[in-house]
Amino acid sequence: MMNSKAQVMLVDDHAMLRHGMAMLINMEPDLEVCAEVGDGNEALALLKGTDKVDIVLLDVTLKTSSGFEVIKYMHALQPALPVLFVSMHDETVYAERALRAGASGYVMKQEPGEVLLTAIREVLKGNVYLSKEMNAKLLNRMVAGHPEHEQLINSLTPSEFEVLHLIGSGHSSKEIATLLNRSIKTIETHRFNIRTKLNLKNGADLIRYATRWFSEEPIDQVYR
């Protein structure tokens, strides 16, 4: 008998959270977890050998890679494969970038299980899923617009964007290195590249820019 349940792949390096999501999904009559992996490379290896995955639930930050890099390779293997980001990172910071990377939606891990299940089903229908608050925010951003600054931000690599976010959250280079499992030298290189791409003079300007960007204060004030 053919399996009519949608096949879900989970990609998250937090094993307990991953297993919890699997239990939630497997209780549903129309959904089934077909694979659980904690690493982007492992997920890509599985996708190379099958076309039976209907949707991927992908974390933004993995131990060895960024979810934004992983989704790029996933779509190189299977262009039509829907990917839903499920992350602890603030939706207001990462959701827009996730959509630009090719994701079909974004759900924060703090949301109730019912929200995750709704998001999965919406994405499987071919729709994009974001919270009502995030939809409103994106609409307001489109209307208000800061095209020059948006273009600068979009020039950052996924790793640089993560570092910028953590700087804006008040973390030092040492703390960021620990959080992202990278060397301090790598983080300092990212900081230099961010400053160069954003046309910032020094570290103090970088901190001001990052803080104001992610708190949604007028970014033009950075240059005053």
Side-chain angles (χ1 to χ4, degrees), residues 108-165:
M108 292 182 64
K109 291 178 179 177
Q110 297 91 322
E111 294 284 1
E114 292 79 7
V115 172
L116 176 62
L117 295 173
T118 296
I120 292 172
R121 292 186 175 107
E122 284 298 310
V123 170
L124 285 169
K125 291 176 186 175
N127 299 326
V128 171
Y129 182 87
L130 295 173
S131 69
K132 292 180 181 179
E133 293 78 11
M134 192 62 213
N135 276 315
K137 175 184 170 67
L138 289 182
L139 181 60
N140 289 335
R141 180 171 288 186
M142 287 174 62
V143 172
H146 292 93
E148 178 183 351
H149 302 302
E150 294 283 350
Q151 186 175 4
L152 291 175
I153 285 289
N154 291 336
S155 72
L156 302 181
T157 67
S159 294
E160 290 164 357
F161 187 81
E162 280 187 308
V163 171
L164 182 67
H165 176 212

Side-chain angles (χ1 to χ4, degrees), residues 163-216:
V163 171
L164 182 67
H165 176 212
L166 291 170
I167 292 171
S169 300
H171 293 287
S172 66
S173 290
K174 184 177 180 181
E175 290 169 339
I176 295 171
T178 300
L179 288 168
L180 299 182
N181 196 29
R182 305 286 190 271
S183 69
I184 294 179
K185 182 178 179 181
T186 296
I187 301 305
E188 290 297 334
T189 298
H190 286 323
R191 291 180 75 119
F192 176 81
N193 291 337
I194 294 167
R195 282 170 46 200
T196 301
K197 291 180 179 181
L198 299 183
N199 300 320
L200 302 173
K201 294 179 181 179
N202 51 46
D205 278 354
L206 174 58
I207 293 172
R208 289 171 59 208
Y209 187 104
T211 302
R212 285 178 171 148
W213 176 264
F214 291 112
S215 66
E216 296 190 294

Side-chain angles (χ1 to χ4, degrees), residues 75-123:
H75 284 156
L77 292 171
Q78 299 188 27
L81 180 65
V83 177
L84 174 66
F85 272 111
V86 182
S87 176
M88 63 181 291
H89 292 304
D90 190 344
E91 181 188 33
T92 61
V93 174
Y94 279 87
E96 184 176 2
R97 194 173 183 93
L99 296 183
R100 287 176 176 165
S104 297
Y106 195 102
V107 176
M108 292 182 64
K109 291 178 179 177
Q110 297 91 322
E111 294 284 1
E114 292 79 7
V115 172
L116 176 62
L117 295 173
T118 296
I120 292 172
R121 292 186 175 107
E122 284 298 310
V123 170

